Amino acid sequence: MKRLLLLFLLVAISCTSKAYIVPDSVLAKYNAPKIPYDKVRCLIKYLFSQDYSDSSFNAKALDLLVYFRKQQDEKGTDHVQLLIAQQMANTGSYVTSLQMAFPILEKFTAQQDSIGILQSYITIITAYSNAKNHAEAAAYNKKSIPFIVNPHQLGYAHTNLATTYAEAGMTDSGLVYAQQALNIFTGYRDTRGISVALSIIAQNYIARGDHAVALPFLVNSLTYARSSDIDNDELSLIYNVTAEAYLGTRQFDSVLHYARLASHLATITYNRQQLLLSYKHLYTCFDETKAKDSANKYFRLATSIRDSLYSMEKAGSMQAISFKEQLNRQEAEFQKQKAEEERQQNIQYVLLGLCIISFCILFLLLSRSIITNVKMIEIFGVMALLIVFEFMNLLLHPFLESITHHSPPLMLLALVAIAALLVPLHHRLEKWATTKLVEKNKAIRLAQAKKTIEKLGNEKI
C-alpha cells in the first residue's frame, strides 16, 4: 500500500509540473510598482507590445493566466482576462468580449476596486464602440468618468464621448464633451490633447453639416499637432477629417492634398480604417471633378481595403472562437488540478487523523497504569473505521470514476462493497482490542489488589 501511495503521489506531481514561461523582466516590472494602475499598464505593454493583431498575444495571455493562477493572484488573473476581452473586441468578437468583461466588472465592484472597475469599463466601451452601439458606448463612458483620477485620461474619456456622439449624430452633446476635453487639455498645456480635441469639435460640426465652421478648428488642430508628439494614426485621422471638411466646401485641391497625406501615414502604420477613409475621399473628389480613371482607381483600392477589413474581421472572429476554446480548456484543466490538489490535501488530513486515533487506541491498550472503559475503545474504533473508509474513498475515487463513468448507482455500489470489506475487519479488530483491554484491566486491578493486601499485611505486623 505504501508503494502504491508513493507511486500515486509521484504521478500526480509529475502531471502538474508543466512549466509556463513568462519573461523575468515582465514579472520584475509587474511586481515592482506599489501603485495598482502601474501593474495594469505593465500587463498592457507586454500583451500589446506591437499592435492589436500581434500573433503572439494568445500565447502570452495564456502563459500569464497560468502564472497568476499558480501564484493565486486573483486580481492579476482578472486583469489579464479583461485584456483578452479587449483583444476580442478589437478583432470583432464583441459578444464574447462582453460576456467576459461583465462578470469581472461585478467582482471589482463588489471589491470596490476603482482601478479594476475603470479597466472593466474601458473593455466594455471598446466592445460597444467597435460594434457601433453608440448608446451603450456613451452610457458606459459616462459611468467610467467618476473612476478616472489622471487628468489626461479624463480628457481622453471626454474626447471618446464626443466622438461617439458625433458618430451617433448627437452633435449637441458631442460639442459639449469635446469642449470640456479641450478645456482640460488646455489647462495642462497638453498640445497633443488640444490637437485631438479641436479635431473632434470639427468632426461634430461636420456631422451636423457645418463644414465651413469646422475648418478653422482643423487649421488650429494641425498647428498644435505639428508642435506635439502626436502619433501617425491620430494625425492620419485629423488629415481625413480635414479632407472631409474641404470636400463639404467643394475645395477639391485641398481634399486631394489632405487625403493623400492621410493615405501616406495610414500606409506607414498599416491602418486600414484610415486608409479606406482616405481612398473614399479621393475617389469621391475625382468623381466630382469628372476624373473617371482616377475615381475608378481609388474606388477599386477602397473596395480592396474594405474586402480586406471584412476578411480580417472574419479571421479575427474565428481566431477569437479558437482562443475562447483554449481558455475553456485551460480553465477546465485548472479546476481539475485544483480538485486534485484538494484531494491530496484531504488524504493527508485523513492519514493524520488515522494516525492520531491509532496512537490513542494503542496507548490505551498498552498503558500499564490506566484502567479504560470498553466503551471508549468502541468509540475510538468507530472513528477509526470512518476515517479508514474516507481514506479509501479519497484514494480510489479517480479509479472508481473511470470504471463507473460517473454513474451514481455504480459509485454507490462500489462504496458499499468497500464498506462491506471494512466492517468485518473492524469487528475483528474491535473484538481483539476489547479482549486485550479487558485482560489489561484485570491485570491492573489484580496488581492493585496485591499491593493493597501487601500494604495491609505490613500494617498488621
Side-chain angles (χ1 to χ4, degrees):
M1 179 60 73
K2 289 182 179 179
R3 291 182 178 179
L4 182 60
L5 179 60
L6 180 60
L7 179 62
F8 171 79
L9 292 174
L10 288 173
V11 171
I13 291 170
S14 66
C15 289
T16 59
S17 62
K18 184 177 179 181
Y20 292 85
I21 299 174
V22 178
D24 291 338
S25 58
V26 175
L27 297 180
K29 290 178 182 177
Y30 176 80
N31 293 319
K34 295 181 180 179
I35 302 173
Y37 184 64
D38 289 342
K39 290 179 177 289
V40 176
R41 287 190 60 82
C42 172
L43 297 178
I44 294 171
K45 187 174 181 180
Y46 173 58
L47 288 176
F48 297 119
S49 58
Q50 296 178 16
D51 54 35
Y52 289 121
S53 62
D54 185 4
S55 59
S56 67
F57 178 92
N58 293 2
K60 291 191 293 187
L62 288 172
D63 287 354
L64 274 174
L65 277 181
V66 172
Y67 170 78
F68 285 131
R69 282 171 172 165
K70 288 175 78 72
Q71 298 297 317
Q72 296 183 343
D73 186 342
E74 188 175 352
K75 288 190 183 294
T77 301
D78 289 337
H79 279 296
V80 172
Q81 288 180 330
L82 279 178
L83 294 175
I84 291 171
Q86 190 168 339
Q87 169 74 350
M88 288 185 172
N90 283 306
T91 55
S93 298
Y94 314 122
V95 175
T96 304
S97 175
L98 293 172
Q99 287 173 342
M100 292 180 66
F102 278 120
I104 299 174
L105 172 61
E106 290 179 6
K107 286 176 64 177
F108 282 133
T109 302
Q111 297 167 2
Q112 296 183 339
D113 184 339
S114 58
I115 300 298
I117 294 171
L118 178 59
Q119 290 303 121
S120 301
Y121 280 142
I122 289 172
T123 301
I124 292 168
I125 292 165
T126 302
Y128 279 128
S129 296
N130 291 350
K132 303 302 180 185
N133 188 334
H134 302 303
E136 292 295 336
Y140 280 97
N141 216 321
K142 288 179 180 177
K143 289 181 180 180
S144 73
I145 288 175
F147 296 95
I148 298 174
V149 178
N150 185 301
H152 296 279
Q153 196 172 9
L154 180 63
Y156 281 106
H158 282 79
T159 60
N160 289 338
L161 259 175
T163 301
T164 300
Y165 281 128
E167 292 176 353
M170 301 170 65
T171 55
D172 289 341
S173 298
L175 286 170
V176 169
Y177 282 102
Q179 185 62 52
Q180 289 178 2
L182 180 61
N183 294 340
I184 292 170
F185 291 130
T186 302
Y188 288 92
R189 297 180 181 179
D190 183 348
T191 55
R192 177 179 177 178
I194 293 171
S195 176
V196 172
L198 287 169
S199 70
I200 294 172
I201 291 174
Q203 194 174 350
N204 276 273
Y205 278 118
I206 290 171
R208 62 165 55 176
D210 295 333
H211 296 83
V213 177
L215 280 173
F217 290 99
L218 289 167
V219 171
N220 285 333
S221 173
L222 289 170
T223 301
Y224 279 104
R226 294 186 187 100
S227 61
S228 71
D229 59 346
I230 194 166
D231 64 36
N232 285 338
D233 281 330
E234 289 173 326
L235 188 55
S236 176
L237 173 62
I238 295 172
Y239 283 148
N240 267 322
V241 174
T242 306
E244 187 174 359
Y246 279 119
L247 189 62
T249 57
R250 301 184 66 80
Q251 299 181 54
F252 297 120
D253 289 342
S254 296
V255 173
L256 294 177
H257 173 70
Y258 285 106
R260 283 169 175 158
L261 287 175
S263 67
H264 174 69
L265 291 179
T267 303
I268 293 173
T269 59
Y270 209 54
N271 187 328
R272 286 184 170 90
Q273 291 286 357
Q274 293 304 316
L275 193 59
L276 174 62
L277 197 57
S278 62
Y279 286 158
K280 179 182 176 182
H281 292 148
L282 286 168
Y283 78 68
T284 303
C285 180
F286 282 122
D287 188 58
E288 289 286 337
T289 57
K290 309 300 181 183
K292 296 298 182 183
D293 290 341
S294 296
N296 289 335
K297 172 188 172 182
Y298 285 105
F299 181 80
R300 287 193 301 271
L301 288 171
T303 303
S304 175
I305 293 294
R306 189 181 294 110
D307 292 343
S308 175
L309 281 170
Y310 175 75
S311 299
M312 281 181 63
E313 185 173 335
K314 188 174 180 180
S317 297
M318 294 298 293
Q319 186 180 15
I321 293 171
S322 175
F323 189 34
K324 181 66 175 175
E325 182 60 28
Q326 284 182 282
L327 287 175
N328 291 338
R329 284 200 301 269
Q330 190 197 74
E331 181 65 24
E333 183 180 346
F334 174 73
Q335 293 299 333
K336 183 179 179 181
Q337 178 182 335
K338 186 176 179 181
E340 182 62 26
E341 289 174 354
E342 290 177 356
R343 192 173 73 87
Q344 291 179 24
Q345 191 176 42
N346 289 336
I347 288 174
Q348 293 173 9
Y349 286 141
V350 168
L351 281 174
L352 182 61
L354 184 60
C355 289
I356 293 172
I357 295 296
S358 301
F359 174 78
C360 292
I361 293 173
L362 290 174
F363 175 77
L364 293 174
L365 288 175
L366 299 177
S367 174
R368 296 186 179 184
S369 60
I370 300 176
I371 297 176
T372 311
N373 194 323
V374 173
K375 285 291 183 181
M376 190 174 293
I377 292 294
E378 291 177 353
I379 291 172
F380 277 123
V382 172
M383 291 173 62
L385 173 65
L386 294 175
I387 291 174
V388 170
F389 179 76
E390 182 64 18
F391 174 72
M392 296 297 293
N393 180 27
L394 287 170
L395 192 65
L396 298 176
H397 192 76
F399 173 72
L400 293 176
E401 281 189 336
S402 64
I403 63 174
T404 60
H405 302 290
H406 303 275
S407 171
L410 293 177
M411 286 288 290
L412 179 61
L413 185 62
L415 294 176
V416 169
I418 293 172
L421 293 173
L422 291 177
V423 170
L425 179 61
H426 164 71
H427 283 311
R428 289 187 181 183
L429 289 173
E430 187 179 47
K431 185 177 180 180
W432 171 81
T434 303
T435 303
K436 286 288 185 183
L437 183 64
V438 171
E439 291 177 357
K440 187 202 78 165
N441 287 348
K442 286 180 179 180
I444 292 173
R445 287 192 179 98
L446 182 59
Q448 289 178 348
K450 286 180 179 180
K451 288 181 180 179
T452 303
I453 292 169
E454 288 177 0
K455 185 178 180 181
L456 292 172
N458 291 334
E459 288 178 355
K460 287 180 180 180
I461 294 172

